[in-house]
Structures are given as structure tokens and as C-alpha cells.
Amino acid sequence: MSDSREIKNDFKNYFHSFLEDNRKLKFFFMEIFFHGAIYAVGGFFRDFLNYKNSRDIDLIIDIDNTTLLDIIKNHEIDYTINRHNGIKLKINKIEIDLWSIYDNWAFKNKLVKLNEKDKLLSIAKGCFYNYDSLVINLNNFSYNLQFYSDFINNQTLNIIQKKAIYKTLNPTIEANIIRAFYLKNKIHIDFSENTINYVIKSLKLIESWHKDDFERLLSIKEKYPKYNDLTEIQLFYELEKFKSDIKGNIQLTLF
């Protein structure tokens, strides 16, 4: 991976070019910049580091939700709001998921402390998996790759937080499991003990709620087009292989 200054300068040039190609998005961002910082989280920055184009952007905005919605309406952008208060936009075929920093579930539920002096690190800590924990400030291009670098070095998918309440209160249990199996099938990674424990416990919960864990995961996967590359057969194989691999192993401590 390139050094810090090179990454910062290269991304700055890339991002400015990206906005020039997407003028409506550029003017939208410019108004948000007037009110507060924008943090890109996960795939957009990761794709840049891996020389890939990205049409999806996840953003955390350092302004309140009311102001954020007013800006969206001022720019006459169509939007939807999910049950977690996340906002989804589509601008020139670019899909954008954004949240006010105050509606981020980890901060809102006080599961991760929002450090006003180091919001980059706080946001990085609030990401569920280390693979997705890339954060860059789109105002000044400072960034945090601490947990993603750990993934790169060890090729192991890890849940950053170890606290039980952080994992049990996460609102997307099935999606987290599907993502783990999707990444394992796609890039052939290992799971940390923390991730294994989470999947074991979560599958037990799903079985108690829905009887058939595979059918439940399959129904949730259909809501996430980004996981289309994980076929029904592959999902079944990964699920059964996971269960087989843990059977007979040393008992792990469940959260």
C-alpha cells in the first residue's frame, strides 16, 4: 500500500475528477461542505485503493438529520428513508447511502463513543467488520485505515467490537452473516474467533425465530442485489461447511 501522503494526494485528484464527471453530485456535496464534514466509509475508498471504479457510496455526514434533509430537498433529489433513519439517494446512476452522524446506530446507542477530536477513528471503530473499516474525510482527505490494514495483513474477517451488546443490538444480523459468507466465497478469507462466535450465536437466534436458517438467509439476500454473485447453492454450501467446520472443534465462548 502507498504511503500516507501519496494516498491522500491520489485520492484527492481522483475525487475531484469524480465530481467533475458528476456535476449534480458535486453541487450537492458543496452545500453539505458548507455545513459540515462528509466521511466516505467502506467500499468507495476501498475500491480506489484497489484500482476499481465504484458506483456506490456510503457516507456519514457531520450535520443533523433535519439540515441534511433540507439540503436534499433544496437540490430536488429523490430519496427514501429506511427504518434506521438512513437516507438513500440515486444521482446519475450513483447510489448513495448516507446518515447523519447523530443517527449512526453505534453512536446513537452509545455503543461506540464519538470522540469529537478524532471522528475518523470513532467512525472506523463503529464499522462492523474490519474489511469495511475504511474512512476518509472528503473535506480535507485525512483518513483512517487502521482496522482495514489489519484485515489486509491477516486476511481474516473480524468484528471490530468485542462487546456483546454491540453485536446483539446490531439491527442487520442476517445481512452480516450473508456478507461474511459472501466475502469468504469471493476472496477466500478466514474468520476470526470473534466472527465465528457471532455467526454461531446468530444462527441459533435465527433458527429459534424462523426454524430454517437457510431459507431465512436466502429471503434476506434477495433484498441485497450486491450479493447476487453469491448463488443459492453457494450460500447453502458456505452455511453447511461452516456448521461442519465448527462441529467437534473446541467450544468457543459465545457472546
Side-chain angles (χ1 to χ4, degrees), residues 15 18-20 22-39 57-80 86-92 94-100 138-139:
F15 183 64
F18 176 80
L19 289 184
E20 287 303 318
N22 299 278
R23 304 284 286 182
K24 188 172 183 178
L25 183 60
K26 176 182 179 179
F27 296 131
F28 173 60
F29 277 7
M30 285 174 63
E31 186 168 351
I32 294 178
F33 286 150
F34 180 78
H35 294 274
I38 303 175
Y39 299 91
I57 311 177
D58 292 322
L59 303 174
I60 292 181
I61 314 295
D62 196 5
I63 57 177
D64 64 87
N65 201 57
T66 300
T67 302
L68 179 55
L69 285 172
D70 286 343
I71 294 172
I72 293 170
K73 292 172 184 176
N74 287 341
H75 285 260
E76 298 181 343
I77 300 171
D78 291 333
Y79 67 94
T80 57
I87 303 169
K88 183 178 285 292
L89 313 176
K90 191 164 187 178
I91 302 176
N92 298 336
I94 299 170
E95 293 189 356
I96 304 169
D97 288 304
L98 62 163
W99 296 263
S100 163
L138 298 182
N139 297 59

Short mmCIF file of all heavy atoms in Angstrom, two decimals, residues 15 18-20 22-39 57-80 86-92 94-100 138-139:
data_model
loop_
_atom_site.label_atom_id
_atom_site.label_comp_id
_atom_site.label_asym_id
_atom_site.label_seq_id
_atom_site.Cartn_x
_atom_site.Cartn_y
_atom_site.Cartn_z
N PHE A 15 -11.02 12.04 -6.56
CA PHE A 15 -12.32 12.50 -6.10
C PHE A 15 -12.75 13.76 -6.85
O PHE A 15 -13.91 13.89 -7.24
CB PHE A 15 -12.28 12.76 -4.60
CG PHE A 15 -13.60 13.19 -4.02
CD1 PHE A 15 -14.69 12.33 -4.03
CD2 PHE A 15 -13.76 14.45 -3.46
CE1 PHE A 15 -15.91 12.71 -3.49
CE2 PHE A 15 -14.98 14.84 -2.93
CZ PHE A 15 -16.05 13.97 -2.94
N PHE A 18 -13.88 12.70 -10.16
CA PHE A 18 -15.17 12.01 -10.00
C PHE A 18 -16.31 13.03 -9.91
O PHE A 18 -17.35 12.85 -10.54
CB PHE A 18 -15.12 11.15 -8.73
CG PHE A 18 -16.40 10.45 -8.39
CD1 PHE A 18 -16.76 9.29 -9.04
CD2 PHE A 18 -17.24 10.96 -7.40
CE1 PHE A 18 -17.97 8.63 -8.72
CE2 PHE A 18 -18.42 10.32 -7.08
CZ PHE A 18 -18.79 9.15 -7.73
N LEU A 19 -16.10 14.10 -9.16
CA LEU A 19 -17.15 15.12 -9.03
C LEU A 19 -17.34 15.90 -10.32
O LEU A 19 -18.47 16.28 -10.65
CB LEU A 19 -16.81 16.07 -7.88
CG LEU A 19 -16.91 15.51 -6.46
CD1 LEU A 19 -16.64 16.61 -5.44
CD2 LEU A 19 -18.28 14.88 -6.21
N GLU A 20 -16.27 16.13 -11.06
CA GLU A 20 -16.40 16.83 -12.34
C GLU A 20 -17.23 16.03 -13.33
O GLU A 20 -17.92 16.59 -14.17
CB GLU A 20 -15.02 17.14 -12.92
CG GLU A 20 -14.27 18.25 -12.20
CD GLU A 20 -15.05 19.56 -12.15
OE1 GLU A 20 -15.67 19.92 -13.18
OE2 GLU A 20 -15.05 20.21 -11.09
N ASN A 22 -19.64 14.18 -12.36
CA ASN A 22 -20.98 14.06 -11.76
C ASN A 22 -21.35 15.41 -11.13
O ASN A 22 -21.31 15.57 -9.90
CB ASN A 22 -20.99 12.95 -10.70
CG ASN A 22 -20.66 11.59 -11.28
OD1 ASN A 22 -21.51 10.91 -11.83
ND2 ASN A 22 -19.40 11.18 -11.17
N ARG A 23 -21.70 16.36 -11.98
CA ARG A 23 -21.85 17.74 -11.55
C ARG A 23 -22.98 17.92 -10.53
O ARG A 23 -22.87 18.72 -9.60
CB ARG A 23 -22.11 18.64 -12.76
CG ARG A 23 -21.04 18.55 -13.84
CD ARG A 23 -19.79 19.30 -13.46
NE ARG A 23 -19.96 20.74 -13.55
CZ ARG A 23 -19.01 21.62 -13.30
NH1 ARG A 23 -17.82 21.21 -12.94
NH2 ARG A 23 -19.23 22.92 -13.39
N LYS A 24 -24.07 17.19 -10.70
CA LYS A 24 -25.17 17.32 -9.76
C LYS A 24 -24.73 16.89 -8.36
O LYS A 24 -25.07 17.53 -7.36
CB LYS A 24 -26.38 16.50 -10.21
CG LYS A 24 -27.63 16.73 -9.37
CD LYS A 24 -28.84 16.04 -9.97
CE LYS A 24 -30.09 16.37 -9.14
NZ LYS A 24 -31.30 15.74 -9.74
N LEU A 25 -23.96 15.83 -8.31
CA LEU A 25 -23.42 15.35 -7.04
C LEU A 25 -22.44 16.37 -6.47
O LEU A 25 -22.41 16.62 -5.26
CB LEU A 25 -22.75 14.00 -7.24
CG LEU A 25 -22.18 13.31 -5.99
CD1 LEU A 25 -23.28 13.04 -4.98
CD2 LEU A 25 -21.48 12.01 -6.38
N LYS A 26 -21.65 16.99 -7.34
CA LYS A 26 -20.68 17.99 -6.91
C LYS A 26 -21.37 19.15 -6.20
O LYS A 26 -20.95 19.57 -5.11
CB LYS A 26 -19.89 18.51 -8.11
CG LYS A 26 -18.91 19.63 -7.75
CD LYS A 26 -18.18 20.14 -8.99
CE LYS A 26 -17.24 21.28 -8.62
NZ LYS A 26 -16.49 21.78 -9.80
N PHE A 27 -22.43 19.71 -6.79
CA PHE A 27 -23.11 20.85 -6.18
C PHE A 27 -23.81 20.46 -4.88
O PHE A 27 -23.88 21.24 -3.93
CB PHE A 27 -24.10 21.46 -7.17
CG PHE A 27 -23.44 22.04 -8.39
CD1 PHE A 27 -23.89 21.73 -9.67
CD2 PHE A 27 -22.34 22.88 -8.25
CE1 PHE A 27 -23.26 22.26 -10.78
CE2 PHE A 27 -21.72 23.43 -9.36
CZ PHE A 27 -22.18 23.11 -10.64
N PHE A 28 -24.30 19.23 -4.83
CA PHE A 28 -24.91 18.71 -3.60
C PHE A 28 -23.86 18.63 -2.49
O PHE A 28 -24.09 19.09 -1.37
CB PHE A 28 -25.52 17.34 -3.89
CG PHE A 28 -26.03 16.61 -2.68
CD1 PHE A 28 -27.04 17.15 -1.89
CD2 PHE A 28 -25.51 15.38 -2.32
CE1 PHE A 28 -27.51 16.47 -0.76
CE2 PHE A 28 -25.98 14.69 -1.22
CZ PHE A 28 -26.98 15.25 -0.44
N PHE A 29 -22.71 18.07 -2.81
CA PHE A 29 -21.63 17.97 -1.83
C PHE A 29 -21.15 19.35 -1.38
O PHE A 29 -20.85 19.56 -0.21
CB PHE A 29 -20.46 17.19 -2.40
CG PHE A 29 -20.60 15.69 -2.29
CD1 PHE A 29 -21.78 15.10 -1.86
CD2 PHE A 29 -19.55 14.85 -2.63
CE1 PHE A 29 -21.92 13.74 -1.77
CE2 PHE A 29 -19.67 13.48 -2.53
CZ PHE A 29 -20.85 12.92 -2.10
N MET A 30 -21.06 20.28 -2.32
CA MET A 30 -20.56 21.61 -1.98
C MET A 30 -21.43 22.27 -0.92
O MET A 30 -20.92 22.94 -0.01
CB MET A 30 -20.49 22.48 -3.24
CG MET A 30 -19.33 22.14 -4.16
SD MET A 30 -19.36 23.07 -5.72
CE MET A 30 -19.16 24.75 -5.10
N GLU A 31 -22.74 22.09 -1.01
CA GLU A 31 -23.61 22.69 0.00
C GLU A 31 -23.44 21.99 1.34
O GLU A 31 -23.45 22.64 2.39
CB GLU A 31 -25.07 22.66 -0.43
CG GLU A 31 -25.97 23.40 0.54
CD GLU A 31 -27.37 23.65 0.03
OE1 GLU A 31 -27.64 23.40 -1.15
OE2 GLU A 31 -28.20 24.09 0.86
N ILE A 32 -23.28 20.68 1.33
CA ILE A 32 -23.06 19.96 2.58
C ILE A 32 -21.74 20.41 3.21
O ILE A 32 -21.66 20.63 4.43
CB ILE A 32 -23.05 18.44 2.37
CG1 ILE A 32 -24.43 17.95 1.93
CG2 ILE A 32 -22.64 17.72 3.65
CD1 ILE A 32 -24.51 16.47 1.66
N PHE A 33 -20.70 20.59 2.39
CA PHE A 33 -19.40 21.03 2.91
C PHE A 33 -19.51 22.36 3.65
O PHE A 33 -18.75 22.62 4.59
CB PHE A 33 -18.40 21.20 1.76
CG PHE A 33 -17.90 19.90 1.18
CD1 PHE A 33 -17.53 19.83 -0.17
CD2 PHE A 33 -17.77 18.76 1.95
CE1 PHE A 33 -17.05 18.65 -0.71
CE2 PHE A 33 -17.29 17.58 1.42
CZ PHE A 33 -16.93 17.52 0.07
N PHE A 34 -20.45 23.19 3.24
CA PHE A 34 -20.65 24.48 3.90
C PHE A 34 -21.10 24.30 5.35
O PHE A 34 -20.81 25.11 6.22
CB PHE A 34 -21.68 25.30 3.12
CG PHE A 34 -21.95 26.66 3.70
CD1 PHE A 34 -21.07 27.71 3.51
CD2 PHE A 34 -23.10 26.88 4.46
CE1 PHE A 34 -21.32 28.96 4.07
CE2 PHE A 34 -23.36 28.13 5.02
CZ PHE A 34 -22.46 29.17 4.82
N HIS A 35 -21.82 23.19 5.62
CA HIS A 35 -22.38 22.95 6.95
C HIS A 35 -21.51 22.04 7.81
O HIS A 35 -21.50 22.17 9.04
CB HIS A 35 -23.78 22.32 6.82
CG HIS A 35 -24.79 23.24 6.21
ND1 HIS A 35 -25.51 24.15 6.95
CD2 HIS A 35 -25.20 23.38 4.92
CE1 HIS A 35 -26.33 24.81 6.15
NE2 HIS A 35 -26.15 24.36 4.91
N GLY A 36 -20.82 21.09 7.18
CA GLY A 36 -20.05 20.14 7.98
C GLY A 36 -19.30 19.16 7.11
O GLY A 36 -19.38 19.18 5.88
N ALA A 37 -18.58 18.26 7.74
CA ALA A 37 -17.73 17.30 7.03
C ALA A 37 -18.53 16.13 6.48
O ALA A 37 -19.59 15.77 6.99
CB ALA A 37 -16.63 16.79 7.97
N ILE A 38 -17.99 15.54 5.42
CA ILE A 38 -18.54 14.32 4.83
C ILE A 38 -17.48 13.23 4.95
O ILE A 38 -16.33 13.43 4.54
CB ILE A 38 -18.91 14.50 3.35
CG1 ILE A 38 -19.90 15.65 3.16
CG2 ILE A 38 -19.47 13.21 2.77
CD1 ILE A 38 -20.20 15.96 1.69
N TYR A 39 -17.88 12.09 5.49
CA TYR A 39 -16.96 10.96 5.61
C TYR A 39 -17.45 9.82 4.71
O TYR A 39 -18.59 9.37 4.84
CB TYR A 39 -16.90 10.46 7.05
CG TYR A 39 -16.41 11.49 8.04
CD1 TYR A 39 -17.29 12.34 8.71
CD2 TYR A 39 -15.04 11.62 8.31
CE1 TYR A 39 -16.84 13.29 9.61
CE2 TYR A 39 -14.58 12.58 9.22
CZ TYR A 39 -15.49 13.41 9.85
OH TYR A 39 -15.04 14.35 10.76
N ILE A 57 -21.73 4.67 -2.84
CA ILE A 57 -21.00 5.43 -1.83
C ILE A 57 -21.79 5.41 -0.52
O ILE A 57 -22.99 5.69 -0.51
CB ILE A 57 -20.81 6.90 -2.26
CG1 ILE A 57 -20.27 7.01 -3.68
CG2 ILE A 57 -19.88 7.62 -1.29
CD1 ILE A 57 -20.13 8.43 -4.18
N ASP A 58 -21.12 5.05 0.56
CA ASP A 58 -21.70 5.14 1.91
C ASP A 58 -21.08 6.34 2.59
O ASP A 58 -19.85 6.45 2.69
CB ASP A 58 -21.41 3.87 2.71
CG ASP A 58 -22.16 2.66 2.16
OD1 ASP A 58 -23.31 2.84 1.75
OD2 ASP A 58 -21.58 1.56 2.14
N LEU A 59 -21.93 7.22 3.10
CA LEU A 59 -21.47 8.48 3.68
C LEU A 59 -22.03 8.69 5.09
O LEU A 59 -23.18 8.36 5.35
CB LEU A 59 -21.90 9.67 2.81
CG LEU A 59 -21.46 9.67 1.36
CD1 LEU A 59 -22.12 10.84 0.62
CD2 LEU A 59 -19.95 9.76 1.25
N ILE A 60 -21.20 9.22 5.95
CA ILE A 60 -21.65 9.74 7.23
C ILE A 60 -21.42 11.25 7.20
O ILE A 60 -20.32 11.71 6.90
CB ILE A 60 -20.90 9.10 8.41
CG1 ILE A 60 -21.30 7.62 8.52
CG2 ILE A 60 -21.20 9.82 9.72
CD1 ILE A 60 -20.63 6.87 9.66
N ILE A 61 -22.49 12.01 7.49
CA ILE A 61 -22.47 13.46 7.35
C ILE A 61 -22.48 14.09 8.74
O ILE A 61 -23.32 13.77 9.57
CB ILE A 61 -23.69 13.96 6.56
CG1 ILE A 61 -23.92 13.12 5.30
CG2 ILE A 61 -23.51 15.44 6.20
CD1 ILE A 61 -22.84 13.18 4.28
N ASP A 62 -21.56 15.00 8.95
CA ASP A 62 -21.42 15.61 10.28
C ASP A 62 -22.34 16.83 10.44
O ASP A 62 -21.89 17.92 10.80
CB ASP A 62 -19.96 16.01 10.52
CG ASP A 62 -19.68 16.27 12.00
OD1 ASP A 62 -20.59 16.05 12.83
OD2 ASP A 62 -18.55 16.69 12.33
N ILE A 63 -23.62 16.62 10.16
CA ILE A 63 -24.65 17.62 10.42
C ILE A 63 -25.91 16.89 10.88
O ILE A 63 -26.01 15.67 10.71
CB ILE A 63 -24.96 18.50 9.19
CG1 ILE A 63 -25.38 17.64 7.99
CG2 ILE A 63 -23.79 19.38 8.83
CD1 ILE A 63 -25.76 18.45 6.76
N ASP A 64 -26.85 17.60 11.44
CA ASP A 64 -28.06 16.96 11.93
C ASP A 64 -28.96 16.53 10.77
O ASP A 64 -28.86 17.04 9.65
CB ASP A 64 -28.82 17.89 12.88
CG ASP A 64 -29.32 19.14 12.18
OD1 ASP A 64 -30.43 19.10 11.61
OD2 ASP A 64 -28.59 20.16 12.19
N ASN A 65 -29.84 15.59 11.06
CA ASN A 65 -30.68 14.98 10.02
C ASN A 65 -31.62 15.98 9.38
O ASN A 65 -31.89 15.92 8.17
CB ASN A 65 -31.46 13.81 10.62
CG ASN A 65 -31.93 12.84 9.56
OD1 ASN A 65 -31.11 12.31 8.81
ND2 ASN A 65 -33.23 12.60 9.48
N THR A 66 -32.15 16.92 10.14
CA THR A 66 -33.09 17.91 9.60
C THR A 66 -32.40 18.78 8.55
O THR A 66 -32.95 19.01 7.45
CB THR A 66 -33.65 18.80 10.73
OG1 THR A 66 -34.33 17.98 11.67
CG2 THR A 66 -34.61 19.83 10.17
N THR A 67 -31.21 19.26 8.86
CA THR A 67 -30.46 20.08 7.90
C THR A 67 -30.12 19.27 6.67
O THR A 67 -30.20 19.76 5.53
CB THR A 67 -29.17 20.62 8.56
OG1 THR A 67 -29.50 21.37 9.72
CG2 THR A 67 -28.39 21.50 7.59
N LEU A 68 -29.73 18.02 6.87
CA LEU A 68 -29.38 17.15 5.76
C LEU A 68 -30.56 16.96 4.82
O LEU A 68 -30.42 17.08 3.59
CB LEU A 68 -28.90 15.80 6.30
CG LEU A 68 -28.49 14.74 5.28
CD1 LEU A 68 -27.42 15.26 4.34
CD2 LEU A 68 -28.01 13.48 6.01
N LEU A 69 -31.73 16.71 5.37
CA LEU A 69 -32.93 16.53 4.53
C LEU A 69 -33.30 17.82 3.81
O LEU A 69 -33.75 17.79 2.65
CB LEU A 69 -34.09 16.04 5.39
CG LEU A 69 -34.03 14.58 5.82
CD1 LEU A 69 -35.13 14.26 6.82
CD2 LEU A 69 -34.15 13.65 4.60
N ASP A 70 -33.13 18.95 4.46
CA ASP A 70 -33.41 20.23 3.81
C ASP A 70 -32.51 20.43 2.59
O ASP A 70 -32.97 20.91 1.54
CB ASP A 70 -33.21 21.39 4.79
CG ASP A 70 -34.33 21.50 5.81
OD1 ASP A 70 -35.40 20.91 5.57
OD2 ASP A 70 -34.12 22.16 6.85
N ILE A 71 -31.25 20.07 2.71
CA ILE A 71 -30.31 20.20 1.59
C ILE A 71 -30.73 19.29 0.44
O ILE A 71 -30.72 19.69 -0.73
CB ILE A 71 -28.87 19.88 2.04
CG1 ILE A 71 -28.39 20.92 3.05
CG2 ILE A 71 -27.92 19.82 0.84
CD1 ILE A 71 -27.05 20.58 3.69
N ILE A 72 -31.11 18.06 0.77
CA ILE A 72 -31.56 17.12 -0.26
C ILE A 72 -32.77 17.66 -1.00
O ILE A 72 -32.85 17.63 -2.24
CB ILE A 72 -31.87 15.74 0.37
CG1 ILE A 72 -30.58 15.10 0.88
CG2 ILE A 72 -32.55 14.82 -0.64
CD1 ILE A 72 -30.80 13.86 1.73
N LYS A 73 -33.71 18.21 -0.24
CA LYS A 73 -34.93 18.75 -0.86
C LYS A 73 -34.61 19.99 -1.70
O LYS A 73 -35.20 20.18 -2.77
CB LYS A 73 -35.94 19.09 0.23
CG LYS A 73 -36.51 17.87 0.95
CD LYS A 73 -37.35 18.25 2.15
CE LYS A 73 -37.82 17.02 2.91
NZ LYS A 73 -38.56 17.38 4.16
N ASN A 74 -33.68 20.81 -1.24
CA ASN A 74 -33.30 22.01 -2.00
C ASN A 74 -32.72 21.65 -3.36
O ASN A 74 -32.86 22.40 -4.33
CB ASN A 74 -32.27 22.84 -1.21
CG ASN A 74 -32.88 23.56 -0.03
OD1 ASN A 74 -34.10 23.75 0.03
ND2 ASN A 74 -32.05 23.97 0.92
N HIS A 75 -32.06 20.50 -3.43
CA HIS A 75 -31.46 20.06 -4.70
C HIS A 75 -32.41 19.18 -5.50
O HIS A 75 -32.01 18.65 -6.55
CB HIS A 75 -30.15 19.33 -4.41
CG HIS A 75 -29.03 20.24 -4.04
ND1 HIS A 75 -28.06 20.65 -4.93
CD2 HIS A 75 -28.73 20.86 -2.86
CE1 HIS A 75 -27.21 21.47 -4.32
NE2 HIS A 75 -27.60 21.60 -3.07
N GLU A 76 -33.63 19.03 -5.01
CA GLU A 76 -34.68 18.27 -5.70
C GLU A 76 -34.19 16.86 -6.07
O GLU A 76 -34.34 16.39 -7.19
CB GLU A 76 -35.14 19.02 -6.95
CG GLU A 76 -35.77 20.38 -6.63
CD GLU A 76 -36.26 21.10 -7.86
OE1 GLU A 76 -35.85 20.75 -8.98
OE2 GLU A 76 -37.08 22.03 -7.70
N ILE A 77 -33.59 16.22 -5.08
CA ILE A 77 -33.10 14.85 -5.25
C ILE A 77 -34.12 13.89 -4.65
O ILE A 77 -34.57 14.07 -3.52
CB ILE A 77 -31.74 14.68 -4.56
CG1 ILE A 77 -30.71 15.64 -5.15
CG2 ILE A 77 -31.26 13.23 -4.68
CD1 ILE A 77 -29.40 15.68 -4.39
N ASP A 78 -34.49 12.88 -5.43
CA ASP A 78 -35.39 11.85 -4.90
C ASP A 78 -34.66 11.04 -3.82
O ASP A 78 -33.47 10.72 -3.98
CB ASP A 78 -35.85 10.91 -6.01
CG ASP A 78 -36.78 11.61 -7.00
OD1 ASP A 78 -37.46 12.57 -6.59
OD2 ASP A 78 -36.80 11.20 -8.17
N TYR A 79 -35.38 10.72 -2.77
CA TYR A 79 -34.74 9.99 -1.68
C TYR A 79 -35.75 9.09 -0.98
O TYR A 79 -36.97 9.30 -1.08
CB TYR A 79 -34.13 10.95 -0.66
CG TYR A 79 -35.14 11.78 0.12
CD1 TYR A 79 -35.61 11.34 1.36
CD2 TYR A 79 -35.65 12.97 -0.41
CE1 TYR A 79 -36.54 12.08 2.07
CE2 TYR A 79 -36.58 13.72 0.29
CZ TYR A 79 -37.02 13.28 1.53
OH TYR A 79 -37.95 14.00 2.23
N THR A 80 -35.24 8.10 -0.29
CA THR A 80 -36.06 7.27 0.59
C THR A 80 -35.35 7.20 1.94
O THR A 80 -34.13 7.38 2.02
CB THR A 80 -36.24 5.84 0.04
OG1 THR A 80 -34.96 5.25 -0.18
CG2 THR A 80 -37.00 5.87 -1.28
N GLY A 86 -31.59 5.89 7.86
CA GLY A 86 -30.63 6.06 6.78
C GLY A 86 -31.33 6.59 5.54
O GLY A 86 -32.50 6.28 5.29
N ILE A 87 -30.64 7.38 4.77
CA ILE A 87 -31.21 8.01 3.58
C ILE A 87 -30.53 7.42 2.35
O ILE A 87 -29.31 7.31 2.29
CB ILE A 87 -31.00 9.53 3.62
CG1 ILE A 87 -31.62 10.12 4.90
CG2 ILE A 87 -31.61 10.19 2.39
CD1 ILE A 87 -31.24 11.57 5.15
N LYS A 88 -31.33 7.06 1.35
CA LYS A 88 -30.79 6.53 0.10
C LYS A 88 -31.12 7.47 -1.03
O LYS A 88 -32.27 7.91 -1.20
CB LYS A 88 -31.37 5.14 -0.19
CG LYS A 88 -30.79 4.50 -1.46
CD LYS A 88 -31.36 3.11 -1.68
CE LYS A 88 -30.76 2.08 -0.75
NZ LYS A 88 -29.33 1.83 -1.04
N LEU A 89 -30.09 7.81 -1.83
CA LEU A 89 -30.23 8.67 -2.99
C LEU A 89 -29.73 7.93 -4.23
O LEU A 89 -28.93 7.01 -4.13
CB LEU A 89 -29.39 9.95 -2.84
CG LEU A 89 -29.44 10.73 -1.53
CD1 LEU A 89 -28.45 11.88 -1.60
CD2 LEU A 89 -30.83 11.25 -1.26
N LYS A 90 -30.19 8.39 -5.39
CA LYS A 90 -29.62 7.91 -6.65
C LYS A 90 -29.43 9.13 -7.53
O LYS A 90 -30.40 9.80 -7.90
CB LYS A 90 -30.51 6.88 -7.32
CG LYS A 90 -29.82 6.18 -8.48
CD LYS A 90 -30.55 4.92 -8.89
CE LYS A 90 -29.75 4.16 -9.93
NZ LYS A 90 -30.41 2.88 -10.32
N ILE A 91 -28.17 9.44 -7.84
CA ILE A 91 -27.83 10.61 -8.64
C ILE A 91 -26.99 10.14 -9.82
O ILE A 91 -25.87 9.64 -9.63
CB ILE A 91 -27.06 11.66 -7.82
CG1 ILE A 91 -27.87 12.11 -6.60
CG2 ILE A 91 -26.70 12.86 -8.69
CD1 ILE A 91 -27.14 13.07 -5.69
N ASN A 92 -27.55 10.27 -11.02
CA ASN A 92 -26.82 9.86 -12.24
C ASN A 92 -26.27 8.43 -12.13
O ASN A 92 -25.09 8.19 -12.37
CB ASN A 92 -25.66 10.84 -12.52
CG ASN A 92 -26.16 12.24 -12.80
OD1 ASN A 92 -27.30 12.44 -13.21
ND2 ASN A 92 -25.31 13.23 -12.54
N ILE A 94 -25.51 6.78 -9.66
CA ILE A 94 -24.68 6.55 -8.48
C ILE A 94 -25.59 6.39 -7.28
O ILE A 94 -26.40 7.26 -6.98
CB ILE A 94 -23.71 7.72 -8.25
CG1 ILE A 94 -22.78 7.89 -9.45
CG2 ILE A 94 -22.88 7.50 -6.97
CD1 ILE A 94 -21.96 9.15 -9.40
N GLU A 95 -25.49 5.26 -6.60
CA GLU A 95 -26.30 5.02 -5.41
C GLU A 95 -25.55 5.47 -4.18
O GLU A 95 -24.38 5.12 -3.99
CB GLU A 95 -26.67 3.53 -5.31
CG GLU A 95 -27.60 3.08 -6.43
CD GLU A 95 -28.13 1.67 -6.21
OE1 GLU A 95 -27.71 1.04 -5.23
OE2 GLU A 95 -28.96 1.23 -7.02
N ILE A 96 -26.24 6.25 -3.35
CA ILE A 96 -25.61 6.84 -2.18
C ILE A 96 -26.45 6.52 -0.94
O ILE A 96 -27.65 6.79 -0.92
CB ILE A 96 -25.49 8.38 -2.32
CG1 ILE A 96 -24.73 8.73 -3.61
CG2 ILE A 96 -24.81 8.98 -1.11
CD1 ILE A 96 -24.78 10.20 -3.96
N ASP A 97 -25.82 5.93 0.05
CA ASP A 97 -26.45 5.72 1.35
C ASP A 97 -25.78 6.67 2.33
O ASP A 97 -24.55 6.67 2.46
CB ASP A 97 -26.27 4.27 1.82
CG ASP A 97 -27.11 3.31 1.03
OD1 ASP A 97 -28.34 3.49 0.98
OD2 ASP A 97 -26.55 2.36 0.44
N LEU A 98 -26.59 7.49 3.00
CA LEU A 98 -25.99 8.44 3.92
C LEU A 98 -26.79 8.55 5.20
O LEU A 98 -27.99 8.32 5.23
CB LEU A 98 -25.82 9.82 3.26
CG LEU A 98 -27.04 10.61 2.79
CD1 LEU A 98 -26.65 12.07 2.59
CD2 LEU A 98 -27.55 10.09 1.45
N TRP A 99 -26.05 8.87 6.25
CA TRP A 99 -26.62 9.03 7.57
C TRP A 99 -26.04 10.29 8.20
O TRP A 99 -24.86 10.59 8.02
CB TRP A 99 -26.24 7.86 8.49
CG TRP A 99 -26.75 6.53 8.09
CD1 TRP A 99 -27.85 5.88 8.54
CD2 TRP A 99 -26.13 5.63 7.15
NE1 TRP A 99 -27.96 4.64 7.94
CE2 TRP A 99 -26.92 4.48 7.07
CE3 TRP A 99 -24.98 5.72 6.35
CZ2 TRP A 99 -26.62 3.40 6.26
CZ3 TRP A 99 -24.67 4.66 5.52
CH2 TRP A 99 -25.48 3.52 5.48
N SER A 100 -26.88 10.98 8.95
CA SER A 100 -26.33 11.98 9.86
C SER A 100 -25.49 11.24 10.89
O SER A 100 -25.85 10.15 11.34
CB SER A 100 -27.45 12.74 10.55
OG SER A 100 -26.96 13.43 11.69
N LEU A 138 -13.91 13.70 3.24
CA LEU A 138 -13.92 14.24 1.89
C LEU A 138 -13.69 15.74 1.85
O LEU A 138 -13.56 16.32 0.76
CB LEU A 138 -15.25 13.90 1.19
CG LEU A 138 -15.53 12.41 1.01
CD1 LEU A 138 -16.85 12.20 0.28
CD2 LEU A 138 -14.40 11.70 0.27
N ASN A 139 -13.61 16.38 3.01
CA ASN A 139 -13.27 17.81 3.07
C ASN A 139 -11.77 18.02 2.99
O ASN A 139 -11.29 18.85 2.21
CB ASN A 139 -13.81 18.44 4.36
CG ASN A 139 -15.31 18.40 4.46
OD1 ASN A 139 -15.90 17.31 4.44
ND2 ASN A 139 -15.95 19.56 4.58
#
